[in-house]
Amino acid sequence: MPLHPQARDHVARYPSDLGIDPATLDLERIREMRATDGLAVHRGPLVRLPSVRDENAEGVPIRVYRADRGDGPLPVLVYFHGGGWVFGSVRRSDAVGRDLAVRTGAVVVSVGYRLAPEHPFPAAADDAWTVVRDVFARPAFYQCDGSVAVIGDSAGGNLAAVAAWRARDAGLALAHQALVYPVLDVAMDTPSYAEFATGFGLDAREMAWFAAQYAPHADPADPRLSPLRLPSVEGLPPATIVTAGCDVLRDEGERYGARLAAAGVPVEVRRFDGAVHSFFGLPGLFDQAGQARAFLARRLRADLGLDASDREAS
């Protein structure tokens, strides 16, 4: 599959996501890399919103965004950032949190889950579930009307998928799960892992390193780590899955979509041809980021009961 011209230009400058041999990274260097963001200028504008507040959900830091000036109840969209469970933060994902609030019209809750290697598996998954559970438990605090959805990209897509099945098992009905090039199986044995192993942004060696930082002693088949291994996907919430055509994670996302469809779960999978991993978070570099966000916002608004086409950003 040929690279999109913008993706080709990007990987010419950044052939790997980390830009460094992961074997050389100790904790001190990881923390230094967390403190900087060389791509910040490409993450989109920090749209001014009427309400942005930093709170916590049972001790988990969150940032809550609201794009309208009212105070009545709205649906809530819980967002989990990417970064391989090692990098990323509420601060670094501030632009996408604001953008999602504008596009969907929902209250957006961005989750500052604990990071590895300091906090290994299942810390991030537990934090994700804590926040989703708290939204259901304290709807007035979140100005929630009872309709809740989850969204995440990459490792955040993994956390969103895990939170979705945990909500199902707890009897909490999510309206939707939106998964953007999610990590769904740490077996890493799909054809896309072989085809895009190196030179396409996130490479196979880096992904193996991320998994080793997060879950060095976990069973790879544990569905809290590999949701694709979940024994049953029946009864999961409706789903939208976005994949990048030139990404090691492409096949597991599409396999998950096929499995959901076979179980009768409403699902739409859209592959962005020629795209590389991370495109969704960098609208300043990739036109496909805006296209993917608009697509996801339409899907989310429909299942959240928001008739707000005038809210969608261009």
Side-chain angles (χ1 to χ4, degrees):
M1 174 182 296
L3 282 167
H4 186 285
Q6 290 174 328
R8 185 178 62 242
D9 292 345
H10 181 69
V11 299
R13 295 183 62 191
Y14 306 102
S16 69
D17 268 16
L18 290 174
I20 189 172
D21 181 353
T24 67
L25 292 177
D26 58 15
L27 185 55
E28 180 180 2
R29 180 63 177 132
I30 289 170
R31 288 173 172 166
E32 288 174 356
M33 292 172 67
R34 287 175 184 161
T36 61
D37 184 7
L39 295 173
V41 68
H42 303 299
R43 298 192 187 279
L46 297 180
V47 179
R48 185 181 297 274
L49 299 181
S51 177
V52 178
R53 54 193 175 101
D54 289 321
E55 304 282 359
N56 77 85
E58 297 184 30
V60 180
I62 56 175
R63 183 167 291 176
V64 183
Y65 303 90
R66 182 165 177 147
D68 77 343
R69 296 186 180 279
D71 58 4
L74 288 171
V76 166
L77 176 61
V78 184
Y79 169 69
F80 306 103
H81 66 76
W85 305 286
V86 174
F87 299 104
S89 65
V90 167
R91 175 184 54 80
R92 184 172 290 193
S93 56
D94 196 26
V96 70
R98 294 167 185 266
D99 188 53
L100 287 170
V102 171
R103 288 181 185 271
T104 65
V107 172
V108 172
V109 178
S110 182
V111 180
Y113 57 87
R114 287 171 291 173
L115 299 176
E118 301 98 312
H119 305 285
F121 173 84
D126 286 348
D127 287 354
W129 171 230
T130 292
V131 175
V132 170
R133 189 179 63 233
D134 195 56
V135 174
F136 280 98
R138 296 193 296 160
F141 177 80
Y142 294 94
Q143 300 175 316
C144 179
D145 67 1
S147 187
V148 183
V150 293
I151 182 171
D153 51 288
S154 195
N158 169 276
L159 300 178
V162 171
W165 72 252
R166 293 181 79 168
R168 176 202 64 180
D169 290 0
L172 301 177
L174 287 175
H176 201 88
Q177 55 176 323
L179 314 178
V180 182
Y181 37 69
V183 183
L184 296 172
D185 190 352
V186 297
M188 306 180 195
D189 58 359
T190 60
S192 60
Y193 259 97
E195 186 174 358
F196 306 112
T198 185
F200 292 89
L202 177 67
D203 65 34
R205 186 182 181 198
E206 287 175 334
M207 193 61 234
W209 180 83
F210 282 127
Q213 302 309 300
Y214 177 50
H217 307 298
D219 178 359
D222 188 323
R224 294 173 300 168
L225 181 60
S226 298
L228 191 59
R229 309 291 189 95
L230 194 64
S232 172
V233 298
E234 292 183 0
L236 287 176
T240 303
I241 300 174
V242 164
T243 63
C246 302
D247 179 12
V248 291
L249 300 179
R250 182 193 68 195
D251 291 351
E252 60 206 73
E254 295 176 2
R255 287 181 180 182
Y256 197 56
R259 192 169 175 219
L260 291 173
V265 176
V267 59
E268 184 169 349
V269 179
R270 179 168 298 185
R271 177 191 294 184
F272 283 79
D273 288 335
V276 293
H277 193 81
S278 299
F279 82 92
F280 180 81
L282 298 169
L285 293 177
F286 302 108
D287 293 339
Q288 289 172 311
Q291 296 163 15
R293 293 181 185 193
F295 165 64
L296 287 166
R298 287 194 296 270
R299 297 276 296 168
L300 285 161
R301 286 198 309 268
D303 279 355
L304 288 169
L306 287 162
D307 182 15
S309 58
D310 58 326
R311 297 180 188 270
E312 184 177 331
S314 60

